[in-house]
Amino acid sequence: MAKKTVQLVKGKRPVAKAPAAKVKAAPARQAKATRYVYFFGNGKADGDRTMKDLLGGKGSGLAEMTNAGLPVPPGFTITTAACNLYYELGRKVPGEVEQQMEANLRKLEKTAGQQFGSVQNPLLVSVRSGAKFSMPGMMDTILNLGLNDETVEGLKARTGNGRFAYDSYRRFMQMFGNVVLEIPKEEFEKEFDAVKHEGGAKLDTDLDEQALRDVVKRYKAVVRAKTGKAFPSDPMEQLRGARNAVFRSWNNPRAKSYRAIYEIPDHIGTAVNVQLMVFGNSGDRSATGVGFTRNPANGAKEFYGEFLINAQGEDVVAGIRTPMPITELEKVMPTAYRELRAHTTKLEKHYKDVQDFEFTIENEKLFMLQTRNGKRTGYAAVVIATDLVAEKLLKPAEALLLVEPSSLSQLLSPVFDPKEWKSIPVATKGLPASPGAASGQVVFTADEAVAWTDQGKKVVLVRKETVPDDIHGMFVSQGVLTATGGMTSHAAVVGRQMGKPAVVGASELRVNEEEKVVHVGGKALHEGDYIAFDGLSGEVKVEKVATKPSEILQVINGTMPEKDSEIYQRFKKLLEWADKARTMGIRANADLPDQAEIAYAFGARGIGLCRTEHMFFADDRLPIVRRMILADNEADRKAAVNELLPMQRADFYGVFKAMHGCPVTVRTIDPPLHEFLPKREDLMVEVATLQATNGNKKELEEKKDLLARVEQLHEFNPMLGHRGCRLGITYPEITEMQTRAIMEAACQLNKEGLKVVPEIMIPLVGLVKEFRDQKTIVERVCQEVMKEQGIKIKYLVGTMIEVPRGAVTADEIATEAQFFSFGTNDLTQMTFGFSRDDAGKFLKIYQEKRILDADPFASIDTVGVGKLVGMACELGRTARPDIKLGVCGEHGGDPASIHFFQKVGLNYVSCSPFRVPVARLAAAQAAMAVKVGD
Ligand code: ADP
Ligand code: MG
Ligand code: MG
């Protein structure tokens, strides 16, 4: 058992395999050189799909496609280990890596029948980044590498197409100049536009060879002006420069902030793919495109994507020309289209998941350039998972692994009222890129989105198009609306991934980001004006529109019959599969009967935390609670407490009933008493005002008394003050009353035929004697009530483990407590010594500096706080083998934390009612030990 604890407190995430280079070879045996470069081509690859850690997602996909006999241009992958080594050596590439790269380049020359740097028959390559996790926009790919003033002529001679040769050259210079030489893109765009303008060209494709030669000349001048040097013409120097730029790009600000949002570790590095070029820009029988085997927005089984004739690389997603829907390809290049369908269908079957693919057609011949499991919205994920089971491609347990638990919350996010939505005129329409209803005030930049949101406003980010630098703003917006770009543009892809509603390519929008105005349907909208859109239909409206609960929520609330909602039925089916796969119970934190009902409808089978004090805040109760607190003698206090009894009894009756006999853990009073009293500062003002204005004498006396008591109760550190069991110990009559209320309600329900087993929980216990004190009271009252009621029922008395001392002495406490529930909010606060109400200010900076990878209040710190939890579980079980273990902190609904709780062997997790579906799915994945979302 002890061994297990050690193992699970180690790391949070699976770590990429350490480069074997770090392991010193045993002297006796021959030291085998580490392989840093993996070849693919001629129908065979050194790597395969299992090697994502080392080859990155793109590299492993290229290898797997090659092995599957798909037409993939040959090439090689330089591993993530080489990238890590580069950083370890202070940004230097070791000789070994250089040698292996050159050897593989020779192999590629042989395979292609072309030579790198040759004038007669030049080999050209692309240099592509590719980490284990796809990171859109980390680095721009460099295409056509190997071109210079001589080789470009060779390319022209080989193809007989000078326009194409110089188009490739200028593209290469532009990409290399930007990515490797770090010259801003605009510097090149300016020159390009100037040439276009001078020649009266509208589209890029309108430029002829002569014009493109002119572009090349201008680009050379840009490079010289910006770097003081000539554009590097040596292909080897180009290749090394590009490779190192990919390594460097791993640590550029965009990549870093992407990793921070998606909690991708910093140390895993990126691979570099060097691949023979194929040319989608070689004429009208060539094209390039991207697609999905199913619709990633709504999950529909339809071939989905876009392409451009006579184009290269990112032209499709960059919004330079408007791409055509992929179905058009069938008309213009039927053979290539049929092959593409066949290959991608094969890939979907092979990977047993929707594929997101990239392809290029060179003179009617199709090449596959990338495949990966497609990112999708939470909505699409549920549709696809249930479809793939229906199609018998997957077993239910496998289908569970296609859905990222947290994405389920998208299905619960608000929608518009269909009637109201219909009544508002459509201002314009764009492409429905990511479903969901968005309504808010217009902002034009990501930074403004963040600033306005910090002020509590709801915003919609309106942009011409988004770029990777915008993700922080997209993250906080209600939705993202763009004027250009297709279904696979940046805004669309990132929107779907974040579960943000998005409408893209609304081409009638005239967005002026500098002047902060957008024109739509004859109206000018300024920053702060209201706009709304529906990410499922693409409709945009100029109005503030109220949103309402999603279909699933309507079924849960009982306002829509289950049979009318297809998505609810799929959602339910998926979660029922999850219930079969999971081993931990799922409970909810609910204080009131209506919350308990929702939690039950979402599938919670028990309450892990019912906070009784929340019942004290109701208007009709607060005056009584105050009387209880202000009483200066026991008799008065008892009188007030007894007034609360019937109210609490009714509350518990309702909660127990809503849980249909499932276990309910009720916590005795927890917060510091001053929380029930008016604020000290407010009272001081009121007293001063009454005195100054000669106000009502009686009122003044009352306020003065109140103020005196508030001052008495004032604490410097209320969170570490008179709260939790410390209250029950000093005011035993409160514990007595609460126990009585719980037991009377339970007895009554048992008499009515609903078997209820209450679990009474004492908070903030650090000493076994604290617990014993409270338990004695609870037991006594339970006996009394059962005797009065003439019925015996089962009940449990346990404690929260939320004070480090409680965790450390859990064996002692377990001799008395029948269950533990980990209060990980307080436990995190007290273990770190971070006030959870104040930590927000510095935790952000901690995360930016990567001192902490994640907010420990959102996702459990497995190393520190987790060690205490693991230890308390072990200690608790040694003292009481059948002890019931659960968690009721916020972490109970966090997928990563749920994996941890599975490992330490908790019996259940408890979370807020709306997180219950997430927890059900995450618990299933945890039981299968597969983290989805990695
Ligand atoms: P990203 O990771 O941003 O998707 P990629 O490395 O996939 O970048 O490259 C982007 C695009 O560049 C590809 O979709 C493809 O169109 C083009 N591309 C990359 N390598 C080649 C190649 N060897 N031949 C032709 N086009 C290529
Ligand atoms: Mg790609
Ligand atoms: Mg607590």
Side-chain angles (χ1 to χ4, degrees):
M1 274 288 166
K3 221 174 173 184
K4 199 171 151 200
T5 321
V6 173
Q7 194 196 339
L8 42 93
V9 293
K10 246 203 268 162
K12 237 190 85 147
R13 278 178 172 275
V15 172
K17 278 183 201 107
K22 281 203 219 151
V23 187
K24 288 241 164 63
R29 278 185 62 87
Q30 198 71 11
K32 205 172 160 238
T34 308
R35 177 181 247 181
Y36 288 109
V37 183
Y38 286 69
F39 194 79
F40 54 90
N42 288 330
K44 217 188 127 322
D46 296 338
D48 61 40
R49 68 188 282 188
T50 64
M51 298 172 69
K52 269 192 184 174
D53 284 340
L54 200 58
L55 303 181
K58 200 179 287 164
S60 85
L62 289 169
E64 187 79 2
M65 286 197 290
T66 303
N67 284 329
L70 265 50
V72 177
F76 53 85
T77 304
I78 305 170
T79 63
T80 55
C83 174
N84 293 330
L85 206 51
Y86 168 82
Y87 281 109
E88 271 169 43
L89 298 177
R91 306 199 169 208
K92 282 203 189 62
V93 176
E96 255 180 302
V97 174
E98 292 289 3
Q99 283 150 22
Q100 292 186 28
M101 183 176 90
E102 280 178 42
N104 277 274
L105 186 62
R106 297 287 96 81
K107 195 167 167 186
L108 180 59
E109 288 179 331
K110 245 171 110 188
T111 307
Q114 299 169 343
Q115 290 80 44
F116 201 48
S118 148
V119 178
Q120 285 75 37
N121 192 17
L123 171 84
L124 304 182
V125 294
S126 63
V127 176
R128 320 172 63 188
S129 63
K132 176 177 181 186
F133 309 102
S134 104
M135 292 169 54
M138 179 174 86
M139 195 204 82
D140 294 327
T141 297
I142 298 175
L143 302 176
N144 315 326
L145 186 140
L147 283 174
N148 55 33
D149 290 349
E150 283 86 46
T151 53
V152 70
E153 288 299 325
L155 183 63
K156 176 179 171 179
R158 184 167 80 204
T159 55
N161 187 344
R163 188 209 168 270
F164 154 70
Y166 278 88
D167 182 52
S168 302
Y169 194 16
R170 67 93 191 167
R171 286 171 183 271
F172 166 58
M173 292 186 75
Q174 200 169 324
M175 290 184 259
F176 191 91
N178 174 240
V179 175
V180 184
L181 306 177
E182 297 177 1
I183 299 168
K185 279 184 187 158
E186 301 78 62
E187 299 290 335
F188 295 104
E189 275 160 16
K190 248 186 351 218
E191 299 299 329
F192 192 68
D193 289 341
V195 175
K196 259 167 85 173
H197 187 76
E198 282 165 24
K202 267 174 100 181
L203 294 175
D204 296 5
T205 39
D206 295 340
L207 296 179
D208 61 9
E209 179 182 342
Q210 204 43 52
L212 291 164
R213 278 175 184 267
D214 187 21
V215 172
V216 167
K217 215 166 96 195
R218 286 163 180 257
Y219 282 4
K220 280 185 187 164
V222 168
V223 170
R224 190 167 279 287
K226 291 284 155 190
T227 66
K229 285 192 224 134
F231 187 87
S233 61
D234 172 16
M236 257 338 266
E237 187 187 335
Q238 294 174 354
L239 181 57
R240 288 195 196 102
R243 174 199 60 199
N244 297 355
V246 175
F247 287 160
R248 283 203 306 274
S249 72
W250 176 253
N251 277 325
N252 72 26
R254 287 188 311 204
K256 280 190 182 169
S257 90
Y258 188 86
R259 287 202 292 276
I261 290 184
Y262 290 98
E263 291 178 31
I264 296 171
D266 273 333
H267 64 266
I268 61 175
T270 178
V272 183
N273 300 287
V274 177
Q275 189 176 23
L276 177 72
M277 280 305 302
V278 289
F279 299 99
N281 58 334
S282 62
D284 286 344
R285 306 314 297 157
S286 300
T288 185
V290 297
F292 286 82
T293 52
R294 295 176 196 236
N295 184 320
N298 64 19
K301 191 179 181 183
E302 64 195 17
F303 201 53
Y304 180 99
E306 287 159 336
F307 75 104
L308 272 176
I309 301 265
N310 196 9
Q312 189 174 48
E314 308 278 64
D315 290 3
V316 178
V317 288
I320 297 169
R321 280 188 275 150
T322 307
M324 292 193 268
I326 204 157
T327 40
E328 289 292 308
L329 187 64
E330 188 169 17
K331 293 179 195 142
V332 288
M333 296 181 202
T335 315
Y337 177 80
R338 268 198 305 277
E339 270 173 34
L340 183 65
R341 293 273 344 223
H343 291 327
T344 53
T345 307
K346 186 172 168 182
L347 284 170
E348 187 182 273
K349 287 222 167 87
H350 184 72
Y351 281 99
K352 297 186 174 196
D353 197 357
V354 172
Q355 293 301 295
D356 166 357
F357 54 85
E358 297 174 7
F359 66 94
T360 282
I361 298 167
E362 180 177 333
N363 298 325
E364 306 258 347
K365 178 157 175 29
L366 171 73
F367 293 94
M368 299 300 297
L369 287 171
Q370 191 171 331
T371 194
R372 63 179 166 212
N373 295 339
K375 297 252 192 288
R376 66 209 73 175
T377 62
Y379 190 101
V382 170
V383 171
I384 289 165
T386 44
D387 272 355
L388 291 184
V389 172
E391 292 166 29
K392 300 218 155 44
L393 198 58
L394 290 179
K395 297 203 176 65
E398 294 170 321
L400 292 175
L401 303 180
L402 295 195
V403 185
E404 208 178 307
S406 56
S407 75
L408 288 180
S409 43
Q410 289 169 34
L411 278 79
L412 311 179
S413 66
V415 294
F416 296 122
D417 172 64
K419 262 204 208 123
E420 188 192 349
W421 185 244
K422 240 191 208 145
S423 74
I424 303 166
V426 179
T428 188
K429 230 178 142 173
L431 301 171
S434 182
S439 171
Q441 290 172 278
V442 174
V443 292
F444 293 98
T445 68
D447 289 339
E448 276 158 11
V450 171
W452 285 55
T453 312
D454 283 348
Q455 291 169 24
K457 291 177 180 152
K458 290 187 171 176
V459 301
V460 170
L461 181 61
V462 180
R463 304 275 287 156
K464 251 183 223 148
E465 61 191 354
T466 63
V467 292
D469 282 336
D470 290 335
I471 45 176
H472 60 296
M474 298 174 72
F475 196 63
V476 298
S477 301
Q478 302 300 305
V480 183
L481 176 63
T482 70
T484 61
M487 290 295 269
T488 48
S489 65
H490 180 265
V493 171
V494 176
R496 282 195 291 271
Q497 190 179 345
M498 283 183 181
K500 267 304 145 210
V503 168
V504 302
S507 52
E508 285 170 11
L509 292 182
R510 280 195 295 119
V511 185
N512 187 332
E513 283 157 14
E514 285 79 56
E515 287 174 21
K516 300 188 176 178
V517 59
V518 53
H519 293 270
V520 54
K523 279 186 205 163
L525 295 188
H526 298 273
E527 188 179 62
D529 288 343
Y530 281 93
I531 200 162
F533 68 78
D534 176 2
L536 205 56
S537 70
E539 289 170 342
V540 180
K541 306 191 174 182
V542 181
E543 209 155 299
K544 183 176 178 179
V545 187
T547 51
K548 69 166 196 162
S550 71
E551 253 183 46
I552 288 181
L553 219 54
Q554 291 182 49
V555 176
I556 294 285
N557 290 336
T559 50
M560 181 189 270
E562 188 178 324
K563 62 170 176 33
D564 289 355
S565 173
E566 190 199 310
I567 188 66
Y568 178 81
Q569 292 166 31
R570 289 178 183 270
F571 176 80
K572 185 176 164 196
K573 197 186 280 175
L574 186 87
L575 289 176
E576 283 169 359
W577 294 335
D579 292 342
K580 284 203 186 110
R582 67 180 160 84
T583 54
M584 280 192 295
I586 305 293
R587 297 193 187 186
N589 298 344
D591 307 330
L592 302 165
D594 53 342
Q595 291 171 357
E597 261 160 43
I598 290 185
Y600 191 87
F602 272 130
R605 292 298 175 262
I607 287 179
L609 177 62
C610 176
R611 308 174 188 83
T612 52
E613 64 273 7
H614 280 199
M615 303 166 176
F616 289 171
F617 283 109
D619 285 344
D620 55 334
R621 303 177 187 187
L622 207 51
I624 309 171
V625 175
R626 286 189 178 159
R627 237 184 298 134
M628 170 181 94
I629 297 168
L630 295 174
D632 50 14
N633 61 72
E634 204 187 311
D636 282 359
R637 189 158 53 238
K638 274 210 163 130
V641 164
N642 284 336
E643 263 186 83
L644 287 170
L645 175 66
M647 299 174 174
Q648 287 240 295
R649 185 171 56 219
D651 293 332
F652 294 137
Y653 180 90
V655 171
F656 289 147
K657 200 163 181 176
M659 263 296 136
H660 304 266
C662 295
V664 173
T665 304
V666 184
R667 177 179 72 182
T668 52
I669 190 167
D670 181 69
L673 294 181
H674 73 83
E675 285 191 12
F676 301 103
L677 298 180
K679 273 213 172 74
R680 181 164 160 246
E681 291 70 22
D682 294 350
L683 278 173
M684 282 157 86
V685 172
E686 284 173 40
V687 168
T689 318
L690 282 171
Q691 276 169 338
T693 56
N694 269 327
N696 187 314
K697 283 265 151 27
K698 194 170 160 253
E699 200 187 337
L700 178 61
E701 285 316 306
E702 274 174 16
K703 296 263 169 180
K704 272 181 157 174
D705 282 353
L706 194 56
L707 178 59
R709 184 68 176 135
V710 168
E711 303 237 293
Q712 233 177 10
L713 289 172
H714 175 75
E715 292 176 318
F716 288 102
N717 284 312
M719 273 294 147
L720 299 175
H722 195 178
R723 57 178 285 233
C725 66
R726 300 157 203 169
L727 284 175
I729 290 167
T730 40
Y731 304 112
E733 52 281 4
I734 301 179
T735 306
E736 273 170 22
M737 179 277 285
Q738 293 197 307
T739 305
R740 176 165 282 275
I742 294 165
M743 286 305 279
E744 286 181 356
C747 286
Q748 187 177 342
L749 280 162
N750 274 279
K751 282 182 189 165
E752 289 170 16
L754 184 68
K755 234 182 110 220
V756 174
V757 182
E759 302 175 349
I760 300 170
M761 178 159 78
I762 312 300
L764 223 69
V765 167
L767 299 149
V768 66
K769 285 185 183 168
E770 286 174 328
F771 182 76
R772 208 173 279 144
D773 175 279
Q774 291 293 287
K775 186 182 164 189
T776 309
I777 297 171
V778 170
E779 303 252 76
R780 173 172 51 74
V781 176
C782 285
Q783 295 310 321
E784 277 170 24
V785 173
M786 291 193 294
K787 206 162 155 210
E788 287 161 19
Q789 301 276 330
I791 177 174
K792 264 203 152 12
I793 65 168
K794 219 184 134 202
Y795 66 91
L796 301 177
V797 192
T799 182
M800 280 180 92
I801 297 288
E802 54 186 334
V803 176
R805 195 185 187 284
V808 173
T809 60
D811 47 349
E812 281 185 22
I813 295 173
T815 57
E816 297 283 346
Q818 292 169 292
F819 65 85
F820 287 167
S821 176
F822 290 94
T824 48
N825 301 340
D826 263 312
L827 192 59
T828 299
Q829 166 165 274
M830 292 191 223
T831 303
F832 276 96
F834 287 168
S835 154
R836 56 174 145 134
D837 303 305
D838 305 306
K841 285 180 204 140
F842 58 84
L843 277 182
K844 244 188 182 164
I845 296 162
Y846 267 47
Q847 281 169 268
E848 275 163 25
K849 294 198 165 186
R850 302 312 286 265
I851 292 171
L852 282 170
D853 281 342
D855 177 351
F857 291 105
S859 196
I860 194 160
D861 156 46
T862 53
V863 179
V865 178
K867 194 175 202 167
L868 282 175
V869 172
M871 179 195 283
C873 288
E874 295 292 329
L875 292 175
R877 276 190 292 248
T878 30
R880 185 186 291 267
D882 66 342
I883 191 163
K884 218 174 186 183
L885 301 169
V887 57
C888 62
E890 276 307 300
H891 305 88
D894 167 60
S897 308
I898 289 172
H899 278 260
F900 176 78
F901 297 135
Q902 173 85 27
K903 286 194 209 153
V904 287
L906 296 195
N907 301 96
Y908 69 85
V909 296
S910 188
C911 58
S912 74
F914 284 83
R915 298 287 288 175
V916 165
V918 174
R920 284 165 78 188
L921 182 56
Q925 292 171 355
M928 294 188 262
V930 183
K931 266 191 192 167
V932 175
D934 277 6

